[in-house]
Amino acid sequence: AGAMRQMPYILAGVFLMTLQPILVTLSQNASGKLDYSPISSTLLSEVFKIAISFSMLVASPSTTPIHVTSEVVQYSVPAFIYFVNNNLVFAILSHVDATTFQLLSQLKTVFTGLLFRIFLSRHLSIYQYIAIVQLACGTATSQIPKCTAGSHTSGSSSLWGVTLSIISCLLSAFGGIYSEKLLKDKPKDSIHWQNIQLYTWGILFNLLGVFMMDGSAVLRQGPLVGFNGWAWTVVINNALNGLAISAILKFADNIARVYAHACAMLVTMVLSIYLFGQSPSPQLLIAIITVAASAVQYNVKVDPSPQPEHRVDIGPEYEPVPVSESISPTARKPAERG
């Protein structure tokens, strides 16, 4: 029953995460650039998320009373982590090429598995840990065809970019784990009320980011400059995707989230072959097989019951009996000769 309840949220997450890069590509101009501000787009997505959450909270009957307590401050932690991480990407991409960034980004899968055990005290078998590493390798393999002779400014700047990428992966994993902990610590609380607390901080931090990064442009032209129809679909899709991920963390866990992200990444690459004329590659096929095998291995139930001792079969057990009883009278009587 639990798996059936989780599945709609996981499938919704895969679908929306698959659409995300496709819609961003469609929202670009002829030169492949964005006419709108990505930070403003993120801020608008946060506004949509809190508006949807508030509407669903009002519409849904709730038996748990809603109180604003000091716990609302705890929701600032994942919101601040996501805010820092989103802006850290710009610094990372100025030091490493996009392919290196994508390859290193798969470390967040491994970090999620480790933090899953440390902070949430969830026991994973050795086979599940291997499956998580296999998942990271599979998704990284899908990015290998994009490797080119990247133009790094210097060895030190490349090392700095790699360091920032690892920090970004750790922050991303920690943000997801912390969000799951907050959502599950109060299982009776409405997920819509929990989302409102999280997205309120998200709006505050992203509003700060808009004025930090695009303050002059926003004051001069307004926050909606450059937004076209595709840009608005990106905003709405990101909002729905955030709500789906929140539901995955509430009713499933972070491991389901990373598997959903991996599946969406591969589905996007397959769709890009037909939508944007990209060439298929053997690496993509290997990645799909590896990720599928990882998912099967992670979900295989290992029987924890101890195995019976191995013993050598030397025939049926018997109890020794006296010699006088072991030979029947019939057996002692010599056979008659005819």
Side-chain angles (χ1 to χ4, degrees):
M4 294 302 297
R5 185 184 184 186
Q6 298 167 6
M7 192 56 63
Y9 304 117
I10 295 174
L11 293 178
V14 171
F15 176 73
L16 294 166
M17 283 187 277
T18 299
L19 285 180
Q20 185 178 23
I22 295 175
L23 294 176
V24 170
T25 301
L26 293 172
S27 69
Q28 295 172 347
N29 56 28
S31 59
K33 304 294 182 181
L34 296 176
D35 292 328
Y36 59 94
S37 168
I39 301 180
S40 297
S41 176
T42 303
L43 174 61
L44 290 171
S45 293
E46 294 293 318
V47 172
F48 270 96
K49 283 190 283 187
I50 200 171
I52 295 172
S53 297
F54 182 78
S55 300
M56 296 183 73
L57 178 64
V58 173
S60 61
S62 177
T63 57
T64 304
I66 296 174
H67 299 292
V68 179
T69 65
S70 58
E71 292 180 355
V72 71
V73 180
Q74 297 180 13
Y75 286 88
S76 67
V77 176
F80 181 72
I81 289 174
Y82 293 141
F83 167 71
V84 171
N85 210 33
N86 290 337
N87 289 280
L88 192 60
V89 171
F90 296 101
I92 294 172
L93 291 176
S94 66
H95 292 290
V96 300
D97 58 79
T99 298
T100 303
F101 173 73
Q102 290 290 347
L103 292 172
L104 291 173
S105 294
Q106 307 316 315
L107 286 174
K108 70 180 67 173
T109 302
V110 179
F111 287 144
T112 297
L114 295 175
L115 296 178
F116 193 72
R117 176 69 178 87
I118 295 172
F119 289 97
L120 299 179
S121 301
R122 304 289 181 81
H123 174 72
L124 297 178
S125 68
I126 184 63
Y127 303 104
Q128 290 176 315
Y129 279 117
I130 294 174
I132 291 173
V133 175
Q134 184 179 346
L135 174 66
C137 293
T139 50
T141 300
S142 68
Q143 300 297 317
I144 290 177
K146 299 180 181 178
C147 289
T148 56
S151 56
H152 297 299
T153 55
S154 64
S156 60
S157 64
S158 297
L159 179 60
W160 177 241
V162 170
T163 303
L164 289 178
S165 296
I166 295 174
I167 294 174
S168 174
C169 292
L170 187 58
L171 286 174
S172 176
F174 181 73
I177 293 293
Y178 198 93
S179 295
E180 179 179 346
K181 179 175 175 57
L182 287 176
L183 291 169
K184 288 183 174 176
D185 276 351
K186 299 285 187 179
K188 294 184 178 180
D189 280 6
S190 168
I191 186 176
H192 309 306
W193 169 236
Q194 292 176 313
N195 283 339
I196 288 173
Q197 297 175 83
L198 176 62
Y199 301 144
T200 298
W201 288 106
I203 290 175
L204 293 176
F205 288 128
N206 281 281
L207 191 61
L208 177 63
V210 166
F211 285 99
M212 286 176 56
M213 305 294 292
D214 297 329
S216 59
V218 168
L219 293 175
R220 186 175 62 255
Q221 300 174 333
L224 301 181
V225 61
F227 275 80
N228 54 23
W230 287 116
W232 282 108
T233 61
V234 170
V235 170
I236 296 173
N237 184 80
N238 286 346
L240 296 176
N241 185 35
L243 294 171
I245 291 176
S246 180
I248 292 174
L249 297 181
K250 175 81 170 180
F251 302 113
D253 54 39
N254 265 280
I255 304 300
R257 177 181 66 88
V258 296
Y259 271 100
H261 183 270
C263 292
M265 178 180 173
L266 298 179
V267 172
T268 299
M269 295 182 68
V270 172
L271 291 178
S272 296
I273 296 173
Y274 300 98
L275 295 176
F276 307 115
Q278 296 182 3
S279 302
S281 65
Q283 286 87 340
L284 176 58
L285 178 61
I286 294 172
I288 293 173
I289 295 174
T290 305
V291 170
S294 170
V296 173
Q297 178 173 318
Y298 183 86
N299 289 284
V300 167
K301 302 298 182 184
V302 180
D303 185 10
S305 59
Q307 298 296 322
E309 286 186 13
H310 179 70
R311 51 186 300 178
V312 179
D313 187 9
I314 57 175
E317 295 183 357
Y318 64 92
E319 295 182 0
V321 296
V323 176
S324 59
E325 297 180 11
S326 63
I327 304 177
S328 64
T330 307
R332 287 197 298 266
K333 182 179 180 180
E336 297 182 357
R337 300 179 180 274

